[in-house]
Amino acid sequence: MVGQSRKWMMLIATTWLQAFTGTNFDFSSYSSDLKSVLGISQVQLNYLSMASDMGKAFGWCSGVSLMYFPLWVVMVMAAIFGLFGYGFQWLVIQGVFSLPYFLVFLLCLVAGCSICWFNTVCFVLCIRNFPAANRALALSLTVSFNGVTATLYTLLANAIKPSDDTLYLLLNALVPLFMSVVVLIPVLRQPPPHSPRPDAICEDSRIFLYLNIMAIITGLYLLPLNSLPSSAAKARILFAGAIILLALPLCLPGIVCTRKWGRNDIHSGFCLDDSSVNLVELDKLELRKELITIDNAIAGTPYSELDKEGCSEVMEKDHLTVLGEEYPARLLVRRWDFWLYYIAYFCGATVGLVYSNNLGQISQSLGFSSMTNSLVTLYSTSSFFGRLLSAAPDFLRDKVYFARTGWLAVALVPTPIAFFLLAASGSEMVLQAGTALIGLSSGFAFAAAVSITSELFGPNSSGVNHNILITNIPIGSLFYGLLAAIVYDSNVGSSIQTNLLQEASMCMGRKCYLQTFIWWGCIALGGVVSSFLLFLRTRPAYDSFERNYHST
């Protein structure tokens, strides 16, 4: 009983850690100030954004460090990275230090590293403390809260000093360190490993349903905040309400302790039935696998089996029809499925992330500079809902069965639509609608990608394989951002306003990003096509798993 309570306390700790360490979503809130203080061009500002994204690509370092250090040491190291990277950037903006551009670039790189280290800690905590039957739900829930970081920081910054945008950098440096200390107790008091009872899987599924409902309520509370006035008094009240909503799941240990009394009266027959996350019969299915051997300590999503004759026949056609077969890196890069997946992520989720990095300059060029923080909040909250929606295939499987790669293809469709809308109109309403659509789409892709990588290319190899996949983030940040920066700087000369005093140019008008939106829309459309081709190639694998599940 005590172990169950500790498990849920640990899960709540990871949601708090994710909620306050997703600092990669608020770059636009202080990018204009950073550009002005350093006196750099838009192209150079793009390199700083790319440096932060490049830091996220070094997630494998945090995974390797777990071989030599306990989790809490890795978590503290991540907090120190953030304190060093963001803290010195804040001192630069405040004029305390006058660092050259190259050193600021290195600071952005270090700050980006802190994010991936925190993510690795949260992933490992979920994997260690939840069985394969419910692990995907735990991961999707915790990853979702990474999307509300910018909203929480906006409220906190407004509660302290609404007129100071540079306060974001100071919060990015201090809050993750403070939160790491707060969650140390549940991390250090993890429950001992044990084999879950079949009825415990059903009970855990019910608790996950309650947690997702509470998460939706939290998102609905945070969503309208982008349009409310940013006075300090109101911000303090709203921030206090957000903290209360985040603290409500702390009652879960009590629910776990009293579940025996309520099990027979409340939803006694309810159990989420799912092929990949919460099937009681999956343990029996895994025992009969002939093609896949998964270590229970580190396994991800369970998978189906095919007979050897059928598998060999399929492999001759070079089509993936067996979920969960392990592909090490040297084999991964030889498969067409991986490159279709890579292009879909590169042209879909990554271009959405680059859009969020440019939100500050986009809103400024369209004449809505006062809306920058609210747009960052809107993107952050929409990304949160998109990440929550990534669990839809698991909850709706019995009613609406669809391959997870098919869900990914559908989720990427709003991105090109949003960019073409932004190219067609520069109104405030279109800017808000486009930002919401891009945040929703990219958030779904970010969260779903972890499960898709594990399903298509093996759970035991997913750590390395997923880090290979996200190498497209710094590449996309460089090229997509460079494209936007070149278009931006090319229109400065004909712009109405230029900031000559600080040696940094400012472009005003729709033309600053018009061509960029068209290019990004075409690129995102290519991501939709690639994801649809991936769905067609992998659908037999998901259909085969579905048939084997029902027959078993």
Side-chain angles (χ1 to χ4, degrees), residues 8 80 84-85 110 120 204 215 232 241 305 337 344 363 426 511 525 534:
W8 294 111
I80 293 175
F84 180 82
V110 173
T120 300
D204 288 356
E305 61 176 11
D337 298 310
S363 60
K511 57 188 175 183
L525 193 60
L534 176 67

Side-chain angles (χ1 to χ4, degrees), residues 59-204:
W60 59 272
C61 296
S62 57
V64 172
S65 65
L66 289 173
M67 300 173 58
Y68 307 100
F69 304 104
L71 270 173
W72 69 271
V73 174
V74 176
M75 188 167 60
V76 172
M77 290 171 65
I80 293 175
F81 283 151
L83 179 64
F84 180 82
Y86 290 114
F88 272 90
Q89 289 183 63
W90 180 76
L91 292 174
V92 169
I93 291 185
Q94 296 300 317
V96 178
F97 290 123
S98 181
L99 298 180
Y101 173 78
F102 178 71
L103 290 181
V104 178
F105 180 91
L106 293 180
L107 291 175
C108 291
L109 181 66
V110 173
C113 285
S114 68
I115 300 168
C116 67
W117 283 55
F118 277 121
N119 288 338
T120 300
V121 169
C122 294
F123 294 160
V124 171
L125 284 171
C126 291
I127 290 173
R128 287 183 179 179
N129 291 276
F130 287 91
N134 285 317
R135 192 169 296 146
L137 285 175
L139 288 171
S140 65
L141 182 68
T142 56
V143 170
S144 298
F145 278 88
N146 195 238
V148 301
T149 302
T151 304
L152 294 174
Y153 277 41
T154 298
L155 287 175
L156 184 56
N158 290 336
I160 299 174
K161 191 176 182 181
S163 59
D164 188 5
D165 289 336
T166 62
L167 188 58
Y168 275 87
L169 277 171
L170 184 61
L171 294 175
N172 287 354
L174 298 179
V175 173
L177 178 61
F178 172 76
M179 192 54 56
S180 299
V181 176
V182 171
V183 303
L184 271 181
I185 295 178
V187 170
L188 293 175
R189 293 177 58 83
Q190 296 181 58
H194 65 284
S195 299
R197 307 184 320 274
D199 61 330
I201 297 177
C202 181
E203 294 172 1
D204 288 356

Side-chain angles (χ1 to χ4, degrees), residues 349-407:
T350 300
V351 73
L353 179 62
V354 176
Y355 171 81
S356 71
N357 290 338
N358 283 266
L359 263 179
Q361 281 65 51
I362 292 173
S363 60
Q364 187 182 63
S365 65
L366 293 176
F368 304 119
S369 57
S370 61
M371 292 177 53
T372 299
N373 289 343
S374 63
L375 288 173
V376 172
T377 299
L378 178 61
Y379 179 90
S380 172
T381 310
S382 300
S383 176
F384 169 74
F385 279 110
R387 292 166 188 250
L388 278 181
L389 284 174
S390 67
D394 303 322
F395 283 109
L396 302 177
R397 176 192 167 276
D398 283 341
K399 296 180 179 179
V400 182
Y401 172 73
F402 204 42
R404 200 181 298 272
T405 50
W407 285 96

